[in-house]
Amino acid sequence: MTMTGEEDAAARGGPLWWTRWRSAAFDWGLGLVSAVECAVEGVPFARDAGIPVAVGIVFGLLAGSVLVVRRKWPIAVVLVAIAVTPAQMGFLMGIVGLYTLAASELPRRMVVSLAGMQLVGTLIVTFVRVRQSMARGTSTMGDWFVPFAAIATSLGLTAPPLLLGLYIGAHRRLMESLRERADSLERELQLLAERAEERAEWARGEERTRIAREMHDVVAHRVSLMVVHAAALQAIAPKDPEKAVRNAALVGDMGRQALTELREMLGVLRSGGPRERSASVPLVAVTVAAVMAEGEGLEGPSLEELEELVGQSAAAGMVVELSVEGETRSYAPEIEQTAYRVVQEALTNVHKHAAGAKTQVRLAHRVAEIAMQVENGPPPEVGSASAAGLPSGGNGLVGMKERVVALGGVFVSGPTEAGGFRVSAVIPAAA
């Protein structure tokens, strides 16, 4: 399993400048081998220079041990290797130091300059040593061998570590870039997940509001009519048994209609339950909530039922009149449902707060919009609004406005100069 850059950096931890303990152990091992090599090569150097052998060995140990700091100061290692080249020592230090320098983050001009210095130094020393060997007669090769040996040796000690270091450095930088991209992508995905959770929570809140508004419209209107009919039934039962029977039948019909609509909404909630429980996947929860918020899966009322709605209020004793202007046509389901609910809630408010008041319902089909208005006059008697004991939750007007504004429409409500109340709404036909 691979690790991102942040996890990899957290997993590291070595002494001093080393990122890992194994890297420190490896460098110390290289430094030890290089020190031993330089110490051995320091013996002939001391004899040729006419100094004590012990001095040559100590000098070799000190020079070779510089390889330990190759990761921290690669330039110093290469410079020391170039400095001890005339003494014919530090071959391992030169090769490893040049590789480390090429693989580092130093500017390429500096790397090429130091590599060129080491190449020239090795070339000159090798040329002189081979020429001295031929002058002493230890080699019987021709004059061509001197430059050939110098060039081949210098290139062999310089080119391979330089090219390998450049390749490893480029590969390392590529891997670091990929780790940084992986870290950035992980952070972006985490941010998207957090935003998706927020959107899901918002969508769930919107869905709860929509369901509460829908249930309020269904229950408030049906039950209000049932309470009005029940009160009328109680008043007329001793005087007009036939009318009492009709009112009782209306109460039963309205109760069944309310139950039917409630079952439809509860059916949607049950079908959406498993999907809502899958909120651990934020984007799916958002999609489900958004689809439910649009009303899919719930067949709501339409404008064709508006006349029946007004008739139910008239049957409950309200003096109500419906007028339709313009050419009747069909609209999107959410538009027709919103228009129906506005009229329904407005009539419910008349039953609650202005029982017995004359009410006018107007519906206008226009070119690019549909308008509706429910206006009632003042109630005939003060206190008649409470005669049936109808409670008010205070959410009817708020729910109507939310519905209309959600479709890009305009909603206005308020008392009239005559002492009544008016509810007006305009909804774009292409909402």
Side-chain angles (χ1 to χ4, degrees):
M1 182 177 68
T2 60
M3 293 188 296
T4 61
E6 295 179 355
E7 293 174 347
D8 186 47
R12 300 178 181 182
L16 298 177
W17 58 82
W18 287 280
T19 57
R20 295 184 178 90
W21 281 96
R22 63 181 183 182
S23 300
F26 181 73
D27 286 353
W28 278 99
L30 284 177
L32 179 62
V33 173
S34 176
V36 172
E37 177 206 353
C38 292
V40 173
E41 294 168 344
V43 175
F45 166 70
R47 292 173 181 173
D48 293 342
I51 59 176
V53 176
V55 175
I57 294 175
V58 172
F59 175 76
L61 288 174
L62 294 176
S65 61
V66 176
L67 191 59
V68 175
V69 299
R70 69 183 184 94
R71 298 179 191 265
K72 184 68 173 178
W73 296 292
I75 297 178
V77 175
V78 174
L79 290 176
V80 172
I82 295 174
V84 301
T85 298
Q88 287 189 311
M89 65 172 60
F91 295 103
L92 177 63
M93 181 171 56
I95 294 173
V96 177
L98 187 58
Y99 160 79
T100 306
L101 179 69
S104 66
E105 300 294 334
L106 294 173
R108 288 290 167 258
R109 289 181 297 177
M110 184 177 296
V111 174
V112 173
S113 299
L114 291 175
M117 292 173 59
Q118 186 166 345
L119 175 66
V120 173
T122 306
L123 178 66
I124 294 174
V125 172
T126 306
F127 184 87
V128 173
R129 292 293 183 178
V130 174
R131 191 175 184 83
Q132 289 176 352
S133 298
M134 293 186 66
R136 288 193 300 265
T138 56
S139 177
T140 58
M141 305 295 292
D143 293 338
W144 61 271
F145 181 72
V146 177
F148 172 78
I151 294 173
T153 303
S154 59
L155 288 177
L157 294 176
T158 306
L162 176 65
L163 296 177
L164 180 61
L166 291 175
Y167 169 76
I168 294 298
H171 182 266
R172 184 181 300 157
R173 286 187 291 273
L174 176 62
M175 295 302 297
E176 290 178 356
S177 175
L178 292 177
R179 288 193 186 98
E180 291 178 357
R181 292 182 181 180
D183 292 338
S184 177
L185 180 60
E186 184 177 359
R187 287 191 293 268
E188 290 179 2
L189 290 176
Q190 184 177 3
L191 180 60
L192 288 175
E194 293 175 356
R195 290 181 178 176
E197 286 287 353
E198 293 177 358
R199 292 176 58 191
E201 184 63 29
W202 173 84
R204 285 192 289 268
E206 288 294 313
E207 179 60 15
R208 285 192 294 267
T209 302
R210 187 191 70 86
I211 293 173
R213 185 168 56 239
E214 194 72 22
M215 295 186 69
H216 171 271
D217 291 343
V218 172
V219 174
H221 180 74
R222 303 295 183 191
V223 175
S224 295
L225 290 181
M226 291 170 63
V227 172
V228 171
H229 280 290
L233 180 62
Q234 183 180 5
I236 66 173
K239 303 176 183 179
D240 192 348
E242 294 183 1
K243 188 174 182 180
V245 171
R246 290 195 300 268
N247 284 353
L250 287 174
V251 171
D253 291 339
M254 291 175 188
R256 283 187 289 270
Q257 291 175 5
L259 287 175
T260 301
E261 295 186 21
L262 285 175
R263 285 195 190 99
E264 290 178 357
M265 283 187 293
L266 293 176
V268 172
L269 292 177
R270 291 193 185 98
S271 63
R275 289 182 293 182
E276 187 174 348
R277 284 192 294 270
S278 65
S280 57
V281 184
L283 294 180
V284 174
V286 171
T287 304
V288 171
V291 170
M292 293 180 66
E294 293 175 359
E296 294 187 8
L298 179 59
E299 183 179 356
S302 63
L303 291 177
E304 295 179 355
E305 305 173 28
L306 194 59
E307 187 174 353
E308 180 183 355
L309 175 67
V310 174
Q312 292 174 351
S313 294
M318 179 186 294
V319 181
V320 58
E321 179 182 351
L322 173 64
S323 62
V324 180
E325 302 175 3
E327 183 180 355
T328 303
R329 63 182 188 274
S330 59
Y331 301 90
E334 59 269 19
I335 296 178
E336 295 205 8
Q337 182 177 352
T338 300
Y340 180 93
R341 293 303 188 193
V342 168
V343 176
Q344 181 188 54
E345 180 60 27
L347 292 176
T348 302
N349 287 341
V350 175
H351 284 292
K352 289 181 179 180
H353 307 292
K358 185 176 181 180
T359 306
Q360 179 73 32
V361 179
R362 299 182 182 89
L363 183 68
H365 299 276
R366 300 170 182 170
V367 177
E369 61 189 16
I370 178 174
M372 64 226 66
Q373 183 182 87
V374 179
E375 180 179 353
N376 63 271
E381 296 179 5
V382 179
S384 60
S386 60
L390 293 174
S392 177
N395 296 319
L397 294 176
V398 175
M400 285 190 282
K401 184 174 182 179
E402 289 177 349
R403 286 179 179 275
V404 174
V405 172
L407 297 179
V410 178
F411 178 85
V412 179
S413 63
T416 62
E417 296 179 358
F421 199 84
R422 180 187 300 115
V423 172
S424 301
V426 179
I427 305 174

